[in-house]
Amino acid sequence: MNPKMIWSNLTVSDLDRTTKFYTELGFKSNGRSNDLTSFFVGEKNFVMHFFLADSMKANVEIEISDAHLANEVMFTLSAETKDEVDKWANEVESAGGKIVSKPKEFGEGYYGFVFADPDGHKFNVFYM
């Protein structure tokens, strides 16, 4: 295999809420349809699709886990400074996300926090 691209497909229950949340965090829109909202993330434009759960389940024929209870993947977002980590934590809360672990030092030279979006998808934000 030699794929040219990789992207994520996650499920959500409310496209309007998801679009608002990620837009407030500064993610760049990659379009929207009746079944999904999509964003570009980072300098290399990683694509994150957020599908309505019923639509995703019908297309891939698998059970969809409840991200509030368990995660299959955790995304990591890199910050350039400790201050940026703290700023992002405030932005996440203001946008309606949940801080899972507050910004703190962990390991030698690492500083960060974990948050969940409104559908429970987890992100690790850190500076190193």
Side-chain angles (χ1 to χ4, degrees):
M1 284 176 45
N2 187 20
K4 294 181 182 176
M5 220 176 140
I6 185 171
W7 60 90
S8 66
N9 298 313
L10 302 172
T11 59
V12 298
S13 61
D14 184 324
L15 291 178
D16 290 333
R17 179 183 68 190
T18 299
T19 301
K20 182 179 183 295
F21 179 77
Y22 287 99
T23 299
E24 286 184 19
L25 293 185
F27 287 37
K28 181 181 168 190
S29 177
N30 182 33
R32 177 159 172 192
S33 72
N34 291 333
D35 295 323
L36 80 110
T37 186
S38 180
F39 293 90
F40 293 116
V41 183
E43 293 176 2
K44 299 203 180 210
N45 287 329
F46 179 76
V47 176
M48 296 187 79
H49 293 312
F50 297 92
F51 286 88
L52 288 174
D54 290 342
S55 174
M56 171 77 90
K57 187 175 179 179
N59 288 319
V60 296
E61 300 177 13
I62 61 172
E63 289 300 315
I64 305 297
S65 66
D66 182 344
H68 293 286
L69 303 175
N71 282 61
E72 186 174 52
V73 65
M74 178 183 284
F75 295 97
T76 298
L77 305 173
S78 63
E80 294 187 18
T81 65
K82 288 182 181 181
D83 288 339
E84 188 172 49
V85 169
D86 293 335
K87 179 182 174 219
W88 288 358
N90 291 330
E91 289 177 5
V92 165
E93 283 189 305
S94 294
K98 177 184 175 188
I99 303 299
V100 175
S101 66
K102 294 186 184 283
K104 64 181 180 181
E105 299 278 345
F106 60 97
E108 189 174 328
Y110 295 93
Y111 182 78
F113 72 100
V114 174
F115 75 88
D117 74 3
D119 286 280
H121 303 294
K122 309 296 185 301
F123 290 79
N124 178 34
V125 176
F126 79 91
Y127 163 74
M128 62 179 224

